[in-house]
Amino acid sequence: GNGFWKLSTGLSSRSYDDAGQPLLFGSVNGNNAALGAAADYNGQGTLSLTAGSSGGDSFMYDRGTAAAAPFNADVDATFTANDLKDSDNVCYDPDDNDTCDPLTISGITGSGTGTAQQRFGRLNIGKEVSSTMIAVNVPLTAEYYNGTSYVVNTDDQCTGIASNELTLSNTNQSAETDGDIEICEAGGTTTMSVTNNPLVSGDGLLSFTAPGASCEGFTNILIDLSLLNLNHLRFDWEDEDGSNNGPYDQNPQGRATFGIISRPKEIIYTREPWN
């Protein structure tokens, strides 16, 4: 009968470990668990964790000091012997030695039929140059390290960057977040618009309108990812020690330039022959 089903539903002492993956693993254990028994109380039950941001258990891989190639999460969940013992001291004892044992569920890789692949990522803003009479299109790209180099994360369909979340600045104005900025002292301005918000297959685009004839200048582009809860997309862009080993705490920066094109000054005349 129902009275023999005495196992606590809390299971608050559970813990998690990673199975030897390259990045430091950490977990936050929640207390919202529910143990539901089968209708016939045959000793089998289902443990459910409360869904959503306020419940359940969460996990994190620290980015550490070296980029890692993609790997699948491989987590072991352990329930203590006390968690698995009821008020009559009946407990989990698979080897029947009269000693209560913990229970470890190994090889948890993700939900559903897929796996939770971990990727070492970053958000990249390009640098583009155009005429003062032509719009500048600056790429905004989500990338990840594939073990050799950084490539576009074509699976990213969710990272969203709105125009008011980008900061524009130059020698004329600073900390502009309304999408407009003055390019030259004569008053020519450019207006930025964001294409693909969220990103489509990892790609977005920052389009800047032409400021007008003879209005040469530039605007720097910055995204403060900490304000968007996207710190995992920061990177060691400056790489001051040349070791490419972090810390990975710098925001992406780019630039749109109008009419300022550097050419080798020693060239007097050049042509391209056609055969």
Side-chain angles (χ1 to χ4, degrees):
N2 295 5
F4 291 101
W5 188 259
K6 294 184 177 182
L7 189 64
S8 169
T9 62
L11 300 179
S12 59
S13 298
R14 61 190 179 275
S15 62
Y16 301 89
D17 290 300
D18 176 77
Q21 298 298 347
L23 299 184
L24 181 64
F25 175 80
S27 68
V28 178
N29 300 334
N31 294 317
N32 301 319
L35 183 61
D40 58 1
Y41 291 88
N42 59 2
Q44 297 180 359
T46 300
L47 175 67
S48 300
L49 301 177
T50 304
S53 59
S54 60
D57 294 357
S58 60
F59 313 97
M60 178 179 66
Y61 287 90
D62 193 309
R63 304 182 82 193
T65 58
F71 63 90
N72 292 332
D74 188 0
V75 177
D76 298 339
T78 298
F79 301 90
T80 66
N82 285 333
D83 260 343
L84 302 178
K85 181 167 60 176
D86 71 8
S87 58
D88 293 329
N89 289 324
V90 176
C91 63
Y92 178 68
D93 183 17
D95 51 10
D96 196 22
N97 65 350
D98 295 327
T99 300
C100 299
D101 296 317
L103 169 66
T104 297
I105 301 174
S106 303
I108 302 171
T109 58
S111 60
T113 58
T115 57
Q117 186 183 78
Q118 306 299 303
R119 295 179 177 179
F120 191 96
R122 68 184 188 183
L123 191 66
N124 193 3
I125 307 176
K127 296 178 176 64
E128 296 294 333
V129 179
S130 180
S131 160
T132 60
M133 301 297 291
I134 301 175
V136 172
N137 294 317
V138 178
L140 174 67
T141 310
E143 302 173 340
Y144 72 96
Y145 184 67
N146 67 1
T148 304
S149 59
Y150 286 88
V151 297
V152 177
N153 185 6
T154 56
D155 291 323
D156 191 331
Q157 313 283 349
C158 59
T159 299
I161 305 294
S163 59
N164 63 354
E165 294 169 335
L166 293 123
T167 300
L168 307 179
S169 62
N170 57 21
T171 55
N172 298 314
Q173 293 181 293
S174 62
E176 293 293 308
T177 58
D178 59 1
D180 295 334
I181 190 167
E182 187 177 288
I183 294 299
C184 61
E185 293 182 356
T189 63
T190 183
T191 300
M192 177 191 64
S193 59
V194 179
T195 302
N196 295 352
N197 180 28
L199 302 179
V200 175
S201 298
D203 283 327
L205 195 68
L206 310 177
S207 183
F208 293 83
T209 60
S214 302
C215 187
E216 295 184 344
F218 68 92
T219 178
N220 293 317
I221 312 161
L222 171 69
I223 303 174
D224 189 344
L225 294 175
S226 66
L227 300 178
L228 306 179
N229 197 28
L230 295 174
N231 283 334
H232 59 283
L233 295 178
R234 285 178 162 184
F235 190 65
D236 182 14
W237 292 106
E238 295 180 1
D239 190 23
E240 292 181 352
D241 61 2
S243 300
N244 193 26
N245 61 354
Y248 302 101
D249 58 1
Q250 295 172 355
N251 290 308
Q253 299 187 58
R255 176 176 284 198
T257 302
F258 296 92
I260 304 174
I261 303 174
S262 177
R263 296 185 178 89
K265 295 179 173 56
E266 66 272 14
I267 295 178
I268 297 176
Y269 177 79
T270 184
R271 68 177 183 176
E272 183 176 351
W274 293 84
N275 296 325

